[in-house]
Amino acid sequence: MPTSMSRNLSGKTVLITGASAGIGRSTAFEFARSSSQNLKLILTARRVERLEEIKKEIANEYGTGVKVHIVKLDVSNPEEIDEFVRALPEEFRGVDILVNNAGFMSGVEQPPDVPRQVIQNVYATNVFGVINMTQAILPIFKARPDGGKGDVIMLGSIASRDPYVGGTIYCSSKAAVAAFTDALRKEMIGTRIRVMTVDPGQVQTEFNLNKFRGDQSKVDESYADRVPLTPDDVAEVIVFAASRNENVVVADTLLFPSYQASATHIHQKI
Ligand SMILES: NC(=O)c1ccc[n+]([C@@H]2O[C@H](COP(=O)([O-])OP(=O)(O)OC[C@H]3O[C@@H](n4cnc5c(N)ncnc54)[C@H](OP(=O)(O)O)[C@@H]3O)[C@@H](O)[C@H]2O)c1
């Protein structure tokens, strides 16, 4: 007998941004694992060669049960988003679940020393990318009967709830997405369009490599003697939220590793 998870995901088309690494990559595999008989995945990122690898791995593991369409896409470019949606093959047009995952942080400078390019790039990806992609996909959801149907899942962060020193730009970008998410959820009331956010604390991905601009010693230091969340841990929660019965909205989830209780309340060794 199928689980409610596989039953609810069966036949769905899932679009993931930033699927080439970290949480996005894990989310692709977790969806495939959870509905391996009948699923369509649209995986997007700038590093398309990594998406090719993921597509191969999924094909090896699940055969034709999971169909994968990969697209090179920079979400910070609104024209690319519009073109991406226009060019979706017929088979993948009926997006059911959008996972707005692409995002990053670069540097820990404080105003007035934050490089202008960082301000622009972080907002272009983390804020405008999310808003533009959501606007591009919502018409597909809204075209469904009774006001519409579909899931928007944001990768939020503890950073939106508990902004920290050195994080003015990143934290405010995530706070903008949190407000967008809450307002959109209210606007979609009366439809079957669910708007959800999964907000992790520390997850071990390439995130800190970008944050520390490639300084591996700082990355290692940030995780020393601790067991952070893995991208798979977060992916499980995303897929859980997406696979609830349609009357259930997992609106807001805060996820910490066991050593963390706020953005900065971090136990030294665990
Ligand atoms: N790691 C954490 O501690 C943590 C905590 C809370 C929230 N988050 C959030 O989780 C999400 C995923 O991050 P992660 O930890 O998995 O980091 P990651 O390993 O660095 O992965 C980030 C992904 O985003 C993609 N990306 C970045 N800029 C992009 C752009 N302009 N257009 C398209 N794709 C882009 C990257 O792909 P390409 O480079 O190939 O384009 C990559 O696949 C982010 O929104 C992040 O803010 C992370």
Side-chain angles (χ1 to χ4, degrees):
M1 201 162 98
T3 61
S4 64
M5 185 176 269
S6 67
R7 190 183 59 237
N8 288 339
L9 291 178
S10 180
K12 293 273 167 76
T13 300
V14 184
L15 162 58
I16 304 171
T17 66
S20 61
I23 296 167
R25 180 183 185 280
S26 284
T27 301
F29 282 101
E30 188 62 26
F31 270 113
R33 202 172 295 126
S34 304
S35 182
S36 57
Q37 303 299 312
N38 186 11
L39 188 81
K40 291 178 203 162
L41 286 175
I42 306 166
L43 307 182
T44 72
R46 293 165 303 179
R47 289 171 293 179
V48 74
E49 63 290 347
R50 288 199 180 196
L51 299 178
E52 296 278 8
E53 281 305 311
I54 294 169
K55 182 176 178 173
K56 267 189 223 151
E57 279 184 53
I58 289 177
N60 285 343
E61 218 155 315
Y62 304 106
T64 54
V66 181
K67 296 192 171 57
V68 180
H69 175 57
I70 61 173
V71 183
K72 180 175 164 60
L73 173 68
D74 182 343
V75 296
S76 71
N77 182 336
E79 284 79 32
E80 272 190 43
I81 290 182
D82 290 346
E83 182 49 32
F84 155 74
V85 176
R86 250 195 311 273
L88 276 176
E90 188 59 37
E91 194 187 5
F92 288 89
R93 279 189 172 277
V95 176
D96 297 287
I97 299 165
L98 164 62
V99 184
N100 273 317
N101 167 74
F104 77 108
M105 174 177 183
S106 174
V108 291
E109 291 94 349
Q110 300 178 23
D113 298 321
V114 185
R116 186 167 288 169
Q117 206 54 46
V118 168
I119 303 171
Q120 278 168 355
N121 290 349
V122 169
Y123 266 66
T125 300
N126 296 12
V127 183
F128 304 144
V130 167
I131 294 173
N132 286 324
M133 182 58 89
T134 305
Q135 289 229 115
I137 296 300
L138 268 179
I140 298 170
F141 292 179
K142 294 197 90 164
R144 297 191 172 117
D146 302 324
K149 188 172 169 178
D151 291 342
V152 184
I153 303 179
M154 310 296 189
L155 257 297
S157 172
I158 180 62
S160 71
R161 306 172 188 234
D162 185 17
Y164 45 85
V165 170
T168 48
I169 306 309
Y170 178 70
C171 297
S172 61
S173 78
K174 289 295 183 183
V177 171
F180 176 80
T181 304
D182 286 345
L184 185 66
R185 187 181 307 114
K186 289 170 185 163
E187 290 177 357
M188 293 303 131
I189 276 297
T191 74
R192 289 287 193 206
I193 298 172
R194 305 188 291 192
V195 183
M196 301 176 267
T197 184
V198 175
D199 296 2
Q202 279 195 346
V203 194
Q204 191 160 14
T205 63
E206 293 172 14
F207 183 85
N208 272 2
L209 202 59
N210 284 317
K211 174 177 173 179
F212 296 119
R213 302 208 177 109
D215 185 336
Q216 189 60 48
S217 63
K218 284 193 179 150
V219 174
D220 294 344
E221 202 180 301
S222 67
Y223 300 126
D225 299 320
R226 301 187 188 115
V227 183
L229 295 169
T230 68
D232 289 354
D233 292 329
V234 183
E236 284 179 9
V237 175
I238 294 168
V239 175
F240 175 84
S243 60
R244 295 308 85 206
N245 290 334
E246 66 177 31
N247 59 316
V248 179
V249 184
V250 184
D252 194 342
T253 307
L254 178 61
L255 205 62
F256 284 134
S258 52
Y259 59 79
Q260 187 175 16
S262 76
T264 52
H265 194 101
I266 288 176
H267 199 276
Q268 285 315 304
K269 281 183 196 261
I270 188 164

